[in-house]
Amino acid sequence: MKGITCLGALALFTSAASAVKVNPLPAPRSITWGHTGPIAISKPALRYDQCQDGHEGILRRAWDRTWATITDLQWVPAATEAPIPSFQPWPTDAAQAKRDTATTAVHSVQLAIVDVDADLQYGVDESYTLEVTANSGVIQINAHTVWGAIHALTTLQQLIISDGQGGLIIEQPVKIEDAPLYPYRGIMIDTGRNFISVAKILEQIDGMALSKLNVLHWHLDDTQSWPIHVKSYPQMTRDAYSSREVYTEADVRRILAHARARGVRVIPEVDMPGHSSSGWKQVDPNVVTCTDTWWSNDDWPKHTAVEPNPGQLDIIYNKTYEVVGNVYKDLSALFTDNWFHVGGDELQNNCFNFSAYITEWFAEDPSRTYNDLSQYWLDHALPIFRGTGGPHRRLMMWEDIFINSDAAHDVPRDIVMQSWNNGVDNIKNLTASGFDVVVSSSDFLYLDCGFAGFVTNDPRYDVMSNPGGDVTFNYGGNGGSWCAPYKSWQRIYDYDFTTNLTASEAQHVIGAEAPLWSEQVDDVTISSKMWPRAAALAELVWSGNRDASGHKRTTQLTQRLLNFREYLVANGVMATNLVPKYCLQHPHACDLYYNQSAITP
Ligand SMILES: *[C@@H]1O[C@H](CO)[C@@H](O)[C@H](O)[C@H]1NC(C)=O
Ligand SMILES: *[C@@H]1O[C@H](CO)[C@@H](O)[C@H](O)[C@H]1NC(C)=O
Ligand SMILES: *[C@@H]1O[C@H](CO)[C@@H](O)[C@H](O)[C@H]1NC(C)=O
Ligand SMILES: *[C@@H]1O[C@H](CO)[C@@H](O)[C@H](O)[C@H]1NC(C)=O
Ligand SMILES: *[C@@H]1O[C@H](CO)[C@@H](O)[C@H](O)[C@H]1NC(C)=O
């Protein structure tokens, strides 16, 4: 460990303005303001020391980006939090704030980092402090690692705003002590159901960086398409949607570099042995089974998939493991994270009927069960998955491999379980069983829910009454939108996912991730479905959903999130709007309850 100090000097500016106390998102763990009032920051030629920047200049580029954003945007939040409830007058726009004469200005940003070598991997220290002492003219940032310093800069860029008259100001004094509650804070994109362009993936990463999310879980493929180039089997991308809808190795490297520069890990997922058809079948049709069968549960005993089109890896066919091994090895060489997600969800028994190898395996010993088959998969695939990817390789799987009726018997406890069913019940089960858990409960965190069904020739829509009245269809049952309704940002933020866990069980919850499955998502819709709701999750896992006295602070998040949505859009992240602009400009005017403690406990 070596300590360095990087000095960034900013030119003096001789006037300041009255500013507002800008509340960044996610809310820091601790932020204290004084009463001195704002201090000016000019637009200087930045002098940034050529300090030892441990990661190929990441720190320097992060600062350049931060300063460019500050100066380009000249940001002014629409309104900050009002004293609650204070209905008249509404707080003054920062843009219209009165200018005062300031005697000092910010002249330097000092970054001190303890360990410049710490790599961006699971559990790296992301803490930082940021302090502007009254009239010192210095912004002091201390962080243990480069990655903490990057978070400090995304906080700083939200604190420095325009004075509305061509100048920049920061409210001071201010002292922030910050660190995430959870080391795993993610979103999931799915490029198997629909292709997402590199540019749009970078846009998601930009939103993540601003909200301090640190894991992009990339569900690469699914039965519908195989969009990623694999060196050993270039023929797999014959099952991409087109030759343009393919990620080359250069594309992947570009995404990884963009993410790393912003403190975001990228965890690849190849979903196996379920959800497998496209790509694999180009290597050897026998590697997959049931690919050309009828999928639907209109005849339940016959159905082979949860959605079209069907396909699963053939667990008994020997060559499956050779192909899986080569695909996994090539992708492990390309992706840089220690972690790899190997799927494991939603196996459909009937699909296996279409494999001669599997039916013969069952016939050999009538006592064999689908649980035994799942176990066979683990016994043969795990040594491959563990044997590649370096000494720190850690595997993630969907919870189904452990908690389903066809689960394997013996799932090693070092595999991280991603929980998506039954809310806190499954989280309790998994943590009590000794697994580390990433929370993705579909009832709270699935961002794709509530847009009706995508399957066609569906007579259930042809009724002359509101199908919403049928609670088993549109709202939470099978069919249409299986996980309806839409998960609002309030639903997400209010989710207390450690409810009823013991302290030691809660220790096993390492974070949460909001998946956005993309049956109905492509470049046009990804950002509006992802944002700003993912930012509500970001704050939930960064500093929690409670204030210092332990009360839910959802109503206080409101204005932060509405402002942050504007900020995302200004930064090129096409987040959807949540309210009439009136509500943005008039904090709490659109609350349902006058009583600001209506959301208990
Ligand atoms: C698959 O095999 C099981 C067990 O033999 C049987 O009950 C089921 O109907 C078969 N499914 C199909 C689609 O043939
Ligand atoms: C699969 O491999 C095993 C072990 O190498 C061998 O015993 C078995 O005969 C092979 N099965 C087939 C169908 O080739
Ligand atoms: C977890 O769920 C599995 C499958 O339903 C069950 O067998 C097991 O007993 C449960 N474990 C705990 C600790 O609740
Ligand atoms: C927590 O446990 C209590 C007591 O068993 C139960 O009534 C409650 O429903 C549980 N909460 C959740 C969210 O499951
Ligand atoms: C506000 O709501 C909370 C929670 O329901 C309640 O405890 C409190 O008494 C209410 N305050 C007022 C002023 O009504």
Side-chain angles (χ1 to χ4, degrees):
M1 303 221 295
K2 48 184 184 269
I4 60 155
T5 301
C6 303
L7 296 175
L10 307 168
L12 293 180
F13 190 61
T14 50
S15 70
S18 298
V20 287
K21 294 166 183 172
V22 182
N23 291 308
L25 186 151
R29 295 286 281 282
S30 158
I31 182 166
T32 30
W33 302 94
H35 303 284
T36 309
I39 187 170
I41 302 178
S42 183
K43 286 196 268 180
L46 179 73
R47 295 199 314 274
Y48 189 89
D49 277 4
Q50 296 296 323
C51 56
Q52 312 103 301
D53 194 346
H55 293 280
E56 313 95 32
I58 277 184
L59 207 47
R60 183 201 162 78
R61 282 183 284 125
W63 168 252
D64 289 350
R65 207 167 51 232
T66 300
W67 187 251
T69 304
I70 290 167
T71 52
D72 289 354
L73 291 185
Q74 296 286 311
W75 189 246
V76 180
T80 51
E81 186 66 34
I84 297 170
S86 127
F87 285 103
Q88 45 186 328
W90 297 106
T92 320
D93 263 1
Q96 291 147 19
K98 187 168 67 70
R99 275 183 94 131
D100 296 334
T101 306
T103 51
T104 56
V106 169
H107 57 78
S108 71
V109 173
Q110 299 191 14
L111 285 174
I113 294 176
V114 177
D115 178 3
V116 294
D117 297 320
D119 195 9
L120 180 66
Q121 293 287 354
Y122 175 73
V124 73
D125 189 318
E126 297 174 276
S127 66
Y128 72 91
T129 62
L130 188 161
E131 186 165 14
V132 186
T133 348
N135 295 328
S136 68
V138 175
I139 296 173
Q140 176 71 45
I141 292 171
N142 295 334
H144 200 77
T145 68
V146 167
W147 319 109
I150 288 175
H151 292 317
L153 294 177
T154 60
T155 300
L156 181 63
Q157 74 182 67
Q158 294 177 60
L159 296 182
I160 299 174
I161 61 172
S162 167
D163 67 358
Q165 302 174 46
L168 292 167
I169 48 174
I170 183 168
E171 177 75 14
Q172 52 132 31
V174 60
K175 182 170 191 200
I176 293 172
E177 293 176 355
D178 210 4
L181 284 172
Y182 293 97
Y184 188 115
R185 308 180 306 280
I187 56 174
M188 192 205 77
I189 57 168
D190 164 11
T191 56
R193 272 56 179 267
N194 277 300
F195 185 76
I196 312 289
S197 70
V198 172
K200 277 290 167 182
I201 294 176
L202 301 186
E203 189 176 313
Q204 307 318 305
I205 294 168
D206 292 345
M208 296 176 72
L210 290 174
S211 56
K212 299 180 173 54
L213 289 167
N214 69 349
V215 176
L216 178 68
H217 169 182
W218 187 355
H219 183 87
L220 287 163
D221 67 293
D222 216 289
T223 52
Q224 293 88 348
S225 80
W226 183 281
I228 187 162
H229 176 77
V230 174
K231 204 181 273 176
S232 299
Y233 305 115
Q235 68 270 40
M236 291 180 89
T237 53
R238 279 185 211 145
D239 285 338
Y241 284 123
S242 75
S243 58
R244 282 173 294 108
E245 290 162 294
V246 169
Y247 305 104
T248 64
E249 290 190 0
D251 290 335
V252 174
R253 289 203 183 91
R254 183 166 165 225
I255 289 165
L256 298 184
H258 191 91
R260 181 178 171 81
R262 288 158 182 76
V264 175
R265 301 163 54 208
V266 179
I267 299 180
E269 177 189 356
V270 177
D271 200 351
M272 300 171 280
H275 293 273
S276 303
S277 171
S278 290
W280 303 104
K281 67 179 161 52
Q282 295 289 346
V283 179
D284 175 348
N286 289 332
V287 161
V288 285
T289 182
C290 90
T291 54
D292 293 317
T293 62
W294 178 244
W295 73 279
S296 183
N297 58 19
D298 55 340
D299 184 349
W300 180 263
K302 282 204 169 60
H303 93 293
T304 52
V306 290
E307 70 178 63
N309 50 319
Q312 297 180 170
L313 292 179
D314 191 322
I315 291 175
I316 300 299
Y317 181 52
N318 281 350
K319 196 180 164 190
T320 298
Y321 298 93
E322 177 192 323
V323 178
V324 163
N326 288 331
V327 169
Y328 180 80
K329 177 168 59 62
D330 287 350
L331 294 177
S332 289
L334 184 57
F335 285 85
T336 50
D337 204 83
N338 287 336
W339 290 28
F340 204 112
H341 198 306
V342 291
D345 59 326
E346 298 190 311
L347 286 180
Q348 302 298 303
N349 296 339
N350 283 336
C351 178
F352 291 129
N353 290 16
F354 293 84
S355 159
Y357 303 101
I358 292 172
T359 46
E360 193 185 312
W361 183 79
F362 276 122
E364 274 168 19
D365 179 352
S367 76
R368 282 177 175 154
T369 63
Y370 288 105
N371 306 92
D372 298 329
L373 189 62
S374 292
Q375 190 64 45
Y376 186 104
W377 166 255
L378 282 189
D379 291 345
H380 291 74
L382 286 184
I384 298 171
F385 298 151
R386 291 186 195 289
T388 309
H392 304 295
R393 171 50 41 101
R394 194 151 183 217
L395 300 173
M396 260 182 99
M397 293 183 82
W398 298 102
E399 66 185 354
D400 314 37
I401 193 67
F402 177 74
I403 219 166
N404 228 16
S405 55
D406 305 316
H409 303 289
D410 177 23
V411 183
R413 295 306 194 259
D414 61 347
I415 298 176
V416 177
M417 287 290 138
Q418 187 165 8
S419 181
W420 62 285
N421 289 296
N422 300 326
V424 295
D425 290 347
N426 278 18
I427 297 167
K428 176 134 187 113
N429 178 303
L430 293 164
T431 54
S433 303
F435 290 102
D436 283 348
V437 170
V438 170
V439 173
S440 293
S441 310
S442 51
D443 289 344
F444 299 85
L445 302 183
Y446 269 33
L447 302 180
D448 50 302
C449 307
F451 292 91
F454 78 91
V455 296
T456 40
N457 192 26
D458 186 343
R460 293 171 300 182
Y461 289 101
D462 182 25
V463 289
M464 293 304 116
S465 59
N466 183 0
D470 175 358
V471 293
T472 64
F473 175 35
N474 263 353
Y475 294 99
N478 293 321
S481 174
W482 69 273
C483 59
Y486 178 90
K487 314 306 173 199
S488 74
W489 68 266
Q490 300 182 73
R491 172 77 174 163
I492 292 166
Y493 191 67
D494 284 337
Y495 186 26
D496 291 319
F497 51 76
T498 58
T499 301
N500 285 352
L501 300 190
T502 65
S504 67
E505 288 162 1
Q507 285 287 314
H508 277 296
V509 176
I510 62 170
E513 172 191 306
L516 178 56
W517 298 102
S518 59
E519 288 88 348
Q520 294 169 298
V521 168
D522 65 9
D523 273 14
V524 175
T525 47
I526 183 167
S527 293
S528 59
K529 287 187 176 178
M530 193 76 83
W531 306 99
R533 289 183 296 161
L537 174 71
E539 179 163 308
L540 177 64
V541 283
W542 181 275
S543 52
N545 59 12
R546 280 159 205 283
D547 63 21
S549 53
H551 295 113
K552 278 266 171 79
R553 59 178 184 185
T554 318
T555 189
Q556 290 100 308
L557 173 62
T558 308
Q559 195 62 29
R560 273 201 293 286
L561 191 73
L562 297 182
N563 284 340
F564 193 73
R565 182 267 170 173
E566 304 302 304
Y567 194 64
L568 285 168
V569 173
N571 279 278
V573 182
M574 296 295 107
T576 197
N577 72 316
L578 297 172
V579 291
K581 196 164 185 176
Y582 185 89
C583 311
L584 166 72
Q585 293 180 336
H586 300 83
H588 298 288
C590 301
D591 288 359
L592 182 62
Y593 285 90
Y594 181 84
N595 180 347
Q596 294 290 307
S597 307
I599 299 171
T600 46

